[in-house]
Amino acid sequence: MSNKPCKHSELKKKGSTAKRMRASWGKPRSAVPTIRIRPERFLIVTEGAKTEPYYFEGFRRRINAEFHGEYVTLRVCGVGDNTISLFERARSIASADPDGFTQVWVVYDRDSFPSRDFNAVVDLCSAESGRGVVYRAAWTNESFELWYLLHFAYIDSALDRGSYIPMLTRRLRADGLGKYEKNRTDMFCVLEERMRTAIANAERLEESNVGRAPADSNPGTTVHLLVKELMPYLGSEKSGEGR
């Protein structure tokens, strides 16, 4: 290592560098370039033309108003098809959308459809998932109204379809919320505060149905899986506090 003293020009250069560094202290640094993340986009395609779309429209209005499509957006389609044909419609709608979706949910009831078709939708969704999009089945056995009833109580006994509406009406009237009808447009708002109760009851029911096919799970539902995906985007602390 040389012991020669630094030349005047080298000392001046070092001094200038130090001076520039001191001058930059305390000044804001340039912003780090941000990478734009693809927004979460949900497509919900339902068997019913009114009951399910009206309920999920409540989520859609809240979520789309909260995020304006910047981070998440939600589209709801009530198409009137069932089981396998409903899945095909969901896939067709998703494929035709120019922006694409990250999650596609097929929402349907047991009704009187063949067990094979009712169960097949779950497998079809699993097989179709990939390339940045996940397909999921949100089924209910027997009727979508089971999801509504779970907001009030845990139900583990099989019900015929005709029992749901009078049971819901009794529950709603007990809280001064009027009569239940298939075309009620306010069920999201009516039930929102009980959302966590419904999820807990649905999860308990899910545990009791472990090992059973959807068609053999009566009562049973996976609607809570979809609701759990949407809840973080509601922008409201009151959702799901329960009573």
Side-chain angles (χ1 to χ4, degrees), residues 30-239:
S30 299
V32 177
T34 57
I35 300 174
R36 189 170 182 81
I37 299 174
R38 182 189 179 192
E40 185 85 358
R41 301 192 77 241
F42 289 84
L43 171 64
I44 300 175
V45 180
T46 72
E47 172 192 349
K50 291 184 177 180
T51 302
E52 298 96 326
Y54 286 159
Y55 176 69
F56 288 111
E57 274 293 319
F59 283 93
R60 187 194 67 80
R61 287 190 296 270
R62 178 79 63 76
I63 292 171
N64 289 355
E66 182 76 16
F67 293 97
H68 306 289
E70 289 294 319
Y71 181 62
V72 63
T73 192
L74 174 62
R75 180 181 174 190
V76 181
C77 299
V79 299
D81 285 325
N82 57 72
T83 58
I84 295 175
S85 61
L86 181 65
F87 166 79
E88 297 292 348
R89 285 291 300 277
R91 184 170 60 177
S92 176
I93 293 170
S95 299
D97 190 279
D99 297 319
F101 294 95
T102 52
Q103 293 193 39
V104 178
W105 287 83
V106 184
V107 182
Y108 61 107
D109 294 350
R110 174 71 169 90
D111 293 332
S112 57
F113 303 121
S115 297
R116 180 182 59 188
D117 293 349
F118 187 73
N119 295 332
V121 179
V122 176
D123 295 329
L124 288 169
C125 285
S126 179
E128 188 65 23
S129 296
R131 303 177 301 280
V133 58
V134 175
Y135 280 73
R136 300 287 297 277
W139 53 267
T140 305
N141 190 354
E142 285 261 337
S143 170
F144 186 77
E145 278 79 8
L146 170 65
W147 169 245
Y148 289 167
L149 282 171
L150 291 173
H151 286 71
F152 299 96
Y154 176 66
I155 297 171
D156 61 357
S157 57
L159 300 172
D160 64 85
R161 294 183 63 81
S163 301
Y164 289 99
I165 290 178
M167 288 180 69
L168 264 173
T169 292
R170 286 195 296 272
R171 295 285 185 175
L172 291 170
R173 281 179 170 168
D175 284 355
L177 298 171
K179 179 182 178 181
Y180 175 73
E181 295 177 344
K182 279 278 190 180
N183 59 355
R184 277 194 70 159
T185 60
D186 62 347
M187 290 304 291
F188 169 79
C189 296
V190 166
L191 299 175
E192 182 179 5
E193 291 186 354
R194 300 177 182 267
M195 202 174 290
R196 288 197 184 279
T197 297
I199 290 172
N201 285 331
E203 288 177 338
R204 184 180 169 190
L205 194 55
E206 185 179 27
E207 289 177 3
S208 72
N209 286 324
V210 169
R212 298 175 184 166
D216 299 323
S217 302
N218 185 7
T221 185
T222 56
V223 171
H224 63 292
L225 301 179
L226 169 53
V227 171
K228 286 171 68 175
E229 289 288 330
L230 299 177
M231 278 184 68
Y233 306 117
L234 288 177
S236 171
E237 293 298 324
K238 76 174 185 176
S239 296

